[in-house]
């Protein structure tokens, strides 16, 4: 069939099993997850210095989806970052990359897996994944998790996840899936957010010491449900999905230490209280795909309509001054009277019609071109201020990408994309906290190659540049457009089997992030965005003894980060840091049950480092900790 000539999309997803191993399953070093394990240079929140989820570039089984939070980890079996050559042949690629989630309900194999985990600092977790036949061509998935998590900043939280789905395969290659998932997180004490006031780092806080307020318990619920269908009809294919995502925040607290002194004290500690907020999206996509052959050439034409509506209720914030305080001891205060204000509203809608054409000659080249036109609107009502802001836009976006195989081992790739993407929500320390600016125009160029060193080992190297407007806090803490940003970089991935049983995932990315604009020219902000790094390097090794036949495997994960920009003036940097994790897996029979014992020592050398968010908040890294898991395939 002509359609078989195109780059294959991922097969049916499976809920996490005894034999799952994210290192051995990785196709490249750019980002992949399986269950609760992740490997790669990038994550769902950070691709080439930006968040594809915040940008609106999320997919479920390849179909457009607008999330409001992370997907429940039982609902989604895993995810993969589509960037560089991994985005070649993928319908309607986007700047900032795409995160594609796999559904647990898409499995077509029987399963009943129980997981018991002792996580960091005595945390406990239990999980269930099951997939079973209901009848001919009809299957069901049920999964869930209960957790009590002890946080590395002190305090703890509780959460549970429930998910389920039904999959119907009416004929060969066709599938119809309906699913539902819900997450509840509660009793979650807010950890302090530290904002240094000068050029000195915060003093080291003793790990696991609870210095937040015992009454700052956050409580939120997220629910995702939807349905999708993929129906091949000869040379035609129909794909459609409709998804609903809802997040309700009943209580939220942000403990802010602003203008933190070098001795760990502040003149005024502020607790920002929020609640009764809601964020809902309805999103989806419908595609008609026509594939046909012309001698050695294969053609694919895709007509797509995707859209979303968003309905947010935010604001009503109460800011409570707690006065002078310190991060070096538990400075407990009496719970104040909390009176929230009225909520502001944010309503948005977008509809996009696109057409894409792919031409390929198997083993030789691929060319993919796409163009899309959108209608976009956003209206924000700041109720207490009596202010209404509206924005409407009709952007035209597109892409042209391709690759050429010079030899069976060597393939060159490249592409140019123009996108229309969302902007992250204003952070907790912004005066317009929770506000979302209108969507922005973005662009990306990349160029690189893939070389097969042997049958199982692949090298990918490339350069890229991403350009977009730069939103962050000004000197009045107002979240707004501060200029233009450009991320230029070099990324390298080496993945595969060095020999039987020995698998590596090695990666390195160098990024030059720059801001341009009037504020930089006037010296009011530095030329580098807050929270950015110049380099990330990773090395993951999995060694299954006896050439891959042993029940025992050993693994190691090493990560090295360069210094991170710590404030808008670029006068403060969080130091470079390195971490090493060591682990093992032992697979064994337990009667008729297949079992796995998983042990891991994270941050073996107990390194102390600082993470910095894009709004300048400092948070210390987790210390050495032991993770243990038992998993059973019944």
């Amino acid at each position: 069939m002509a359609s078989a000539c195109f780059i294959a999309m991922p097969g049916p997803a499976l809920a996490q099993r005894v034999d799952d191993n994210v290192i051995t399953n990785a196709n490249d070093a750019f980002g992949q997850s399986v269950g609760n394990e992740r490997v790669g240079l990038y994550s769902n929140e950070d691709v080439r210095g930006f968040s594809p989820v915040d940008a609106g570039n999320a997919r479920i089984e390849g179909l457009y989806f607008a999330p409001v939070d992370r997907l429940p980890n039982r609902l989604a079996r895993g995810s993969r970052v589509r960037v560089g050559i991994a985005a070649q042949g993928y319908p309607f690629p986007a700047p900032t990359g795409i995160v594609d989630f796999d559904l647990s309900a898409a499995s077509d194999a029987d399963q009943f897996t129980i997981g018991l985990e002792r996580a960091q600092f005595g945390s406990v977790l239990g999980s269930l994944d099951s997939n079973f036949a209901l009848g001919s061509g009809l299957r069901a998935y049920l999964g869930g998790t209960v957790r009590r998590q002890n946080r590395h900043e002190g305090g703890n939280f509780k959460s549970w996840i429930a998910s389920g789905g039904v999959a119907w395969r009416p004929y060969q290659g066709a599938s119809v899936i309906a699913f539902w998932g819900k997450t509840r997180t509660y009793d979650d004490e807010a950890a302090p957010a530290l904002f240094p006031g000068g050029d000195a780092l915060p003093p080291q806080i003793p790990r696991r010491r609870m210095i937040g307020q015992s009454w700052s318990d956050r409580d939120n619920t997220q629910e995702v449900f939807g349905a999708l269908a993929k129906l091949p009809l000869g040379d035609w294919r129909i794909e459609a999905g409709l998804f609903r995502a809802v997040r309700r925040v009943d209580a939220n607290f942000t403990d802010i230490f602003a203008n933190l002194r070098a001795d760990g004290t502040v003149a005024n500690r502020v607790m920002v209280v929020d609640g009764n907020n809601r964020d809902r999206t309805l999103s989806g996509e419908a595609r008609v795909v026509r594939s046909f052959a012309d001698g050695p050439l294969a053609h694919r034409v895709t007509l797509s309509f995707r859209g979303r509506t968003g309905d947010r209720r935010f604001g009503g914030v109460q800011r409570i001054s707690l006065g002078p305080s310190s991060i070096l001891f538990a400075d407990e205060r009496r719970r104040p009277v909390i009176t929230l204000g009225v909520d502001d509203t944010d309503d948005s809608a977008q509809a996009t019609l696109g057409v894409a054409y792919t031409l390929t000659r198997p083993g030789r080249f691929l060319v993919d071109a796409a163009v899309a036109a959108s209608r976009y609107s956003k209206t924000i009502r700041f109720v207490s201020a009596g202010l209404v802001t509206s924005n409407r836009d009709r952007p035209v976006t597109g892409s042209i990408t391709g690759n050429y195989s010079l030899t069976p081992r060597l393939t060159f790739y490249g592409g140019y994309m123009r996108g229309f993407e969302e902007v992250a929500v204003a952070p907790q320390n912004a005066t317009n906290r929770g506000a979302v600016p209108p969507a922005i125009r973005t662009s990306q160029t990349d160029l690189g190659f893939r070389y097969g060193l042997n049958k199982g080992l692949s090298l990918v190297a490339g350069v890229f540049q991403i350009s977009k407007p730069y939103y962050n806090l000004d000197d009045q803490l107002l979240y707004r457009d501060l200029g233009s940003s450009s991320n230029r970089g070099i990324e390298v991935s080496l993945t595969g089997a060095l020999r039987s049983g020995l698998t590596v995932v090695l990666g390195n990315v160098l990024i030059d992030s720059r801001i341009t604009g009037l504020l930089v020219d006037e010296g009011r902000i530095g030329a580098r965005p807050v929270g950015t790094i110049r380099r990330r390097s990773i090395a993951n090794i999995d060694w299954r003894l006896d050439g891959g036949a042993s029940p025992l495997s050993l693994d190691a994960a090493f990560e090295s980060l360069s210094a991170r920009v710590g404030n808008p003036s670029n006068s403060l940097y969080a130091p470079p840091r390195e971490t090493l994790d060591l682990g093992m897996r032992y697979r064994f029979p337990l009667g008729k049950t297949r079992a796995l014992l998983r042990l891991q020592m994270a941050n073996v050398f107990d390194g102390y480092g600082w993470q910095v968010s894009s709004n300048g908040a400092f948070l210390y890294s987790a210390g050495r900790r032991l993770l243990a898991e038992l998993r059973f395939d019944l």
Side-chain angles (χ1 to χ4, degrees), residues 319-332:
R319 298 178 183 271
I320 300 172
S321 175
L322 300 180
S325 188
S326 172
I327 64 172
L328 298 182
F329 58 89
D331 187 10
E332 179 74 13

Side-chain angles (χ1 to χ4, degrees), residues 44-119:
N44 297 348
E45 291 82 27
D46 183 3
V47 176
R48 295 174 171 176
F50 299 108
S51 169
V53 173
D54 286 343
N57 298 334
R59 307 287 186 266
I60 290 180
E61 296 289 330
L63 295 167
Y64 174 73
F65 165 60
V68 294
D69 207 335
R70 297 181 180 182
L71 261 67
N73 64 0
R74 306 256 64 89
L75 179 65
R77 153 68 170 79
S79 64
R80 185 179 179 193
V81 173
R82 296 279 179 180
V83 68
I85 198 168
Q88 295 278 305
Y90 192 85
F92 302 100
T96 315
I98 286 174
V99 175
D100 196 356
F101 294 96
D102 303 326
L103 287 175
S104 297
S107 171
D108 58 1
D110 289 341
Q111 178 186 8
F112 193 89
T113 301
I114 295 175
L116 303 173
E117 184 176 345
R118 182 196 182 277

Side-chain angles (χ1 to χ4, degrees), residues 114-453:
I114 295 175
L116 303 173
E117 184 176 345
R118 182 196 182 277
Q120 63 180 27
F121 315 120
S123 304
V124 291
L125 179 149
S127 63
L128 167 69
D129 289 290
S130 63
N131 198 298
F132 48 92
L134 295 176
S136 178
L138 187 65
R139 304 190 62 83
Y141 167 81
L142 292 174
T145 298
V146 291
R147 176 195 301 264
R148 177 186 169 87
Q149 182 82 7
N150 296 324
R151 299 171 50 197
H152 74 273
E153 315 97 324
N156 57 70
F157 69 84
K158 305 178 185 69
S159 69
W160 56 262
I161 297 171
S163 63
V166 177
W168 177 43
R169 304 189 185 278
Y171 57 90
Q172 183 66 34
S175 63
V176 179
I177 301 172
F179 64 89
W180 166 84
K182 187 173 184 177
T183 301
R184 168 88 190 284
T185 303
Y186 57 101
D187 288 348
D188 181 14
E189 297 99 341
L194 313 181
F195 297 89
D199 298 339
L201 292 170
Q204 287 194 6
I205 304 171
R207 283 179 166 132
R208 293 287 299 136
R209 177 178 292 176
M210 175 59 182
I211 60 174
Q213 300 297 313
S214 61
W215 42 266
S216 63
D217 288 331
R218 295 173 292 192
D219 189 335
N220 68 83
T221 304
Q222 183 201 178
E223 192 169 14
V224 181
F225 53 94
L228 60 90
K230 296 186 177 182
L231 306 173
L233 303 169
D235 290 337
W236 295 82
R237 183 178 179 87
I238 298 175
E239 301 178 345
L242 186 63
F243 313 111
R244 182 67 157 173
V246 181
R247 177 179 57 193
R248 189 180 71 248
V249 180
D250 293 324
N252 193 33
F253 295 83
T254 305
D255 195 354
I256 296 178
F257 284 74
N259 295 314
L260 183 71
R261 304 182 183 109
D263 63 358
T265 63
V266 291
N268 185 28
R269 178 179 181 177
V270 175
M271 183 70 77
V272 179
V273 188
D274 200 358
N276 302 322
N277 292 342
R278 185 190 68 221
D279 192 351
R280 301 185 299 190
T281 63
L282 178 66
S283 60
E285 182 176 13
R287 294 181 190 157
V288 177
V289 183
R290 171 78 161 92
S291 301
F292 57 96
D294 178 16
L297 301 178
H299 307 259
R300 183 179 66 198
V301 179
T302 303
L303 181 65
S304 166
F305 176 79
R306 64 177 184 265
R308 66 171 180 85
T309 61
D311 169 19
R312 298 180 61 245
R313 299 294 179 267
F314 68 99
V317 170
Q318 181 182 6
R319 298 178 183 271
I320 300 172
S321 175
L322 300 180
S325 188
S326 172
I327 64 172
L328 298 182
F329 58 89
D331 187 10
E332 179 74 13
R333 307 296 179 88
R334 294 183 61 182
R335 179 184 175 96
V337 176
I338 295 175
T339 306
L340 299 178
V342 295
D343 284 340
D344 302 317
T345 68
D346 173 6
D347 298 292
S348 61
Q350 182 174 341
T352 301
L353 181 64
V355 61
Y357 170 70
T358 304
L359 172 67
T360 186
R361 181 170 179 173
R364 181 56 65 183
F365 69 83
L366 177 146
V367 177
D368 188 284
V371 64
S374 299
R375 295 173 63 102
Y376 169 84
S377 66
K378 176 184 283 288
T379 300
I380 302 178
R381 296 175 176 85
F382 297 97
V383 177
S384 58
L387 176 65
V388 178
T389 63
S390 296
N391 180 267
R392 284 174 171 74
D393 206 343
R394 293 190 177 186
V396 176
T397 59
S399 63
I400 181 164
T401 63
N403 62 65
Y404 179 77
S405 297
L406 191 62
T407 71
R409 288 190 174 188
L410 180 60
T411 299
F412 292 93
Y413 71 90
Y416 176 75
M417 306 170 197
R418 292 187 64 86
F420 188 67
E421 301 180 339
E422 292 291 333
V423 179
V425 174
Q428 65 267 28
N429 60 323
T431 55
N432 55 340
R433 167 192 169 110
V436 180
I440 57 176
R441 285 170 165 79
T442 62
S443 66
Q444 175 183 283
T445 305
D446 59 3
L447 181 68
F449 70 89
R450 178 176 58 196
Y451 183 69
L453 299 172

